[in-house]
Amino acid sequence: DTTVCIAASVEAKTFGVKTGTKVGDAKKLCPGIELVLARHALYIDFHHRAVAAVDTVVPVREVLSIDEMDCELTGRWREPERALGLARKVKEVLRASVGECLRTSIGIGPNTFIAKTASDMMKPDGLVLIGKDELPQRLFHLGVRELSGIGKQMEKRLARHGIRTVEDLCRRTPEELRAIWGGVGGELMHRRLRGEEVAG
């Protein structure tokens, strides 16, 4: 009971179980929780199989983590209906070649940041497309913590400046965000939220 949970299903998360939650606490938060011992070699095998499966449909540009990858669509594949068709095919191929119980959330957007945000908007088995013409308004309802790269400390810092939602964030100028971030990160966030592809 003194060990910790390293991964929680979406269902367990609704009870408050997350990465780092002690097993004893997880049992209290989520009565009847099913605990599984970590099997790293198996996870790595599934990871490689998933990457290979996705790569048969659309080239994997970058592997971001054990369960996350970034693909780039070019030319006519960027057209919304074609992009959605590819995403559905990815889901199909993963189910068929990696595991029928595997749930996959896919986000499509004008940059990696927006695509990641889109994939997080509908878990555990979603498909969300956000067009550049919808930005940043489509994200206004989100809390700042729902954005990739904004942790607990940054959330507190933004709150001190009256910024709690993406709408609040988007009302600030690049210069204001640079000052709040204490560096170029604020300007990069301003650009990413508007669908620009920026490095760093």
Side-chain angles (χ1 to χ4, degrees), residues 7 13 19 31 48 60-61 63 69 72 79 82 104 115 120 124-125 129 148 151 162 172 180-181 192 200:
K13 285 177 182 172
T19 302
H48 289 303
V60 174
R61 176 169 60 178
V63 174
M69 59 198 87
E72 182 178 15
E79 293 170 12
R82 284 174 176 252
T104 309
D120 289 340
D125 198 27
L129 182 147
S148 180
R172 303 303 180 97
I180 293 166
W181 252 260
R192 285 189 184 109

Side-chain angles (χ1 to χ4, degrees), residues 3-41:
T3 60
V4 297
C5 300
I6 59 165
S9 66
V10 171
E11 292 82 4
K13 285 177 182 172
T14 63
F15 286 86
V17 179
K18 50 193 175 191
T19 302
T21 301
K22 283 190 179 169
V23 167
D25 294 336
K27 288 177 181 176
K28 291 175 195 160
L29 289 166
C30 183
I33 191 169
E34 202 170 307
L35 299 162
V36 180
L37 280 176
R39 294 171 288 174
H40 302 291

Side-chain angles (χ1 to χ4, degrees), residues 55 58-63 69-72 78 111-112 197:
D55 211 38
V58 58
V60 174
R61 176 169 60 178
E62 187 180 1
V63 174
M69 59 198 87
D70 177 38
C71 303
E72 182 178 15
R78 292 185 174 195
N111 63 29
T112 303
E197 186 65 82

